[in-house]
Amino acid sequence: MCSSDLWTIIAAFLVFFMQAGFMMLEAGFARTREVVNVLVECIVDTCLCALLFWAFGFAFMFGNGNKWIGHEFFFLNGAPATYGATGVGFMAFFLFQFAFADTCSTITSGAMVGRTGFVGDLLYSVGVSGFIYPILGHWVWGPNGWLATMSTPFRDFAGSTVVHTMGGMIALAGAIVLGPRLGRKFKRDGGGLPPGHDLTIAAVGGVILWFGWYGFNPGSTLSALDLEGIGRVATNTTLAAAAGGLTAFFWMYRRIGKWDLGISVNGFLGGLVAITAPCYWVNTTGAVIIGAVAGLVIVWGIDFIEWLRIDDPIGAVAVHGFAGMWGTWSVGLFATGQWNDVKGLFWGGGVKQLWVQLFGNVVVGGAAFIIGYALRSEEHTSELQS
């Protein structure tokens, strides 16, 4: 086993450990009667995702095919020793990418807490893990994906669009179709978001996610030999998270005169989501700015979802959807050109890359929302009829 294989496997373990963070975060922010359902859904979703990604999800996403979908490596048949030009062992690469797929699928459950029938949720997991994530992900990360092979390629280093915007938009679609939880009263109607039943669990879960992000972002280098890149990515990840957490924390104090634990957790998670796309290509100043803006995006995004009377108990749409959008766009603003040929607007690169980032993000996020809405509507109708 070479050093890059070992690094990729360790990163895969870190990303997989994020499932523990998601479970604790969602359970902590949920109401007491919803906790067991959340935990069971997360566990079964992970088991389903592993088998689906083995059977055909990986083939759709990373198999050679056309610009829209891959069609080799079903059930991992015909796997070579290493994957493509990465030089990383095929099975190590598969494990790393499975952990990413599982993350996207878990994001979607957060906005639908307390309103899904178990069978319907499992069917939704099949749709996300087996089809939506792999096929749309192929457009960006797959061999000859059409967004990656445009004259000016769309850039997403570790998944602000592929994982987070996609997951956030599917979560938004599900929350709209299912409607609010019983007894949920929105701020416009004199109510507000019900407090989570255990913020200790939620806060610890958030910090576990931060820890797992050191596999998510630095692991996407896929090379243990790129020590400079790994260090830069890890540092940028840390700074963006810190800036996001403090910005949201102090902004909320300015508004309500109280220190809000929940918004500080979602703030640093938003910083992590935002830095995921540009983490390799920006400097530390860019990382701090991206994270700080993400902290505001989280606060305003949660306000906006509440104003629309959409029940999102965990803040998944704001944290993953809206912060993922901002992070993707920020490549076209803050990429310095020092570590690849991409220069953002603020580094003399003009608006070309920015427009590509906007276009690719809207296409993937819009497609995820439309397909997720149609799938959730069909399943919700079937649940009501049964």
Side-chain angles (χ1 to χ4, degrees):
M1 178 182 291
C2 73
S3 58
S4 292
D5 291 351
L6 181 60
W7 167 239
T8 302
I9 289 174
I10 291 172
F13 295 162
L14 286 171
V15 178
F16 181 80
F17 187 56
M18 291 172 73
Q19 292 302 312
F22 276 118
M23 291 170 68
M24 295 176 74
L25 183 77
E26 294 183 12
F29 279 142
R31 296 181 294 193
T32 303
R33 65 187 182 187
E34 299 160 350
V35 170
V36 173
N37 180 256
V38 169
L39 298 177
V40 171
E41 286 179 356
C42 288
I43 290 171
V44 177
D45 179 67
T46 295
C47 296
L48 274 175
C49 182
L51 296 178
L52 291 167
F53 210 62
W54 163 71
F56 50 82
F58 184 88
F60 288 157
M61 190 166 183
F62 292 103
N64 287 305
N66 54 45
K67 293 186 176 184
W68 300 92
I69 189 171
H71 50 66
E72 69 171 343
F73 305 135
F74 292 103
F75 299 95
L76 302 187
N77 287 327
T82 59
Y83 178 77
T86 65
V88 175
F90 187 94
M91 294 303 173
F93 184 78
F94 165 79
L95 190 67
F96 184 66
Q97 295 301 337
F98 147 68
F100 272 56
D102 195 21
T103 298
C104 181
S105 185
T106 303
I107 289 168
T108 66
S109 66
M112 295 177 277
V113 168
R115 288 156 290 170
T116 56
F118 187 62
V119 174
D121 186 73
L122 296 185
L123 292 174
Y124 204 55
S125 295
V126 170
V128 174
S129 299
F131 298 95
I132 301 176
Y133 173 78
I135 294 173
L136 300 187
H138 180 85
W139 300 355
V140 180
W141 287 345
N144 300 315
W146 71 274
L147 286 172
T149 55
M150 296 189 298
S151 57
T152 299
F154 176 74
R155 307 280 184 165
D156 185 5
F157 185 75
S160 288
T161 285
V162 175
V163 178
H164 297 287
T165 301
M166 193 188 305
M169 291 301 99
I170 297 170
L172 175 61
I176 291 173
V177 171
L178 294 171
R181 292 169 289 175
L182 292 175
R184 176 72 157 92
K185 192 175 183 180
F186 295 93
K187 189 173 183 179
R188 292 171 67 186
D189 306 313
L193 186 67
H197 89 285
D198 193 334
L199 289 182
T200 301
I201 292 176
V204 173
V207 174
I208 288 173
L209 287 171
W210 187 339
F211 176 68
W213 236 281
Y214 292 121
F216 212 93
N217 288 358
S220 292
T221 61
L222 298 177
S223 174
L225 302 178
D226 186 8
L227 297 180
E228 180 187 356
I230 291 171
R232 182 174 64 256
V233 171
T235 299
N236 286 341
T237 299
T238 303
L239 294 174
L246 288 178
T247 301
F249 186 61
F250 286 113
W251 188 271
M252 186 57 67
Y253 179 80
R254 175 178 174 271
R255 176 188 293 182
I256 65 175
K258 296 179 181 179
W259 305 112
D260 191 304
L261 174 60
I263 202 67
S264 67
V265 172
N266 274 339
F268 74 66
L269 290 176
L272 290 165
V273 168
I275 199 61
T276 297
C279 56
Y280 195 88
W281 303 311
V282 300
N283 61 20
T284 54
T285 301
V288 170
I289 296 171
I290 291 167
V293 173
L296 297 178
V297 168
I298 296 308
V299 176
W300 296 335
I302 291 173
D303 288 345
F304 181 59
I305 291 298
E306 178 77 10
W307 183 82
L308 292 175
R309 295 191 177 97
I310 297 171
D311 188 10
D312 180 5
I314 314 302
V317 177
V319 171
H320 299 281
F322 297 160
M325 293 176 188
W326 159 241
T328 303
W329 304 347
S330 69
V331 175
L333 296 172
F334 295 100
T336 66
Q338 294 172 264
W339 300 287
N340 69 348
D341 58 350
V342 178
K343 281 189 178 182
L345 176 65
F346 298 148
W347 284 83
V351 299
K352 182 184 291 186
Q353 189 67 49
L354 178 60
W355 283 118
V356 169
Q357 296 305 115
L358 289 166
F359 173 74
N361 184 244
V362 169
V363 166
V364 173
F369 177 83
I370 292 169
I371 299 169
Y373 187 92
L375 180 61
R376 184 79 262 184
S377 295
E378 180 64 28
E379 290 171 359
H380 188 50
T381 301
S382 299
E383 288 178 4
L384 292 175
Q385 291 174 345
S386 62

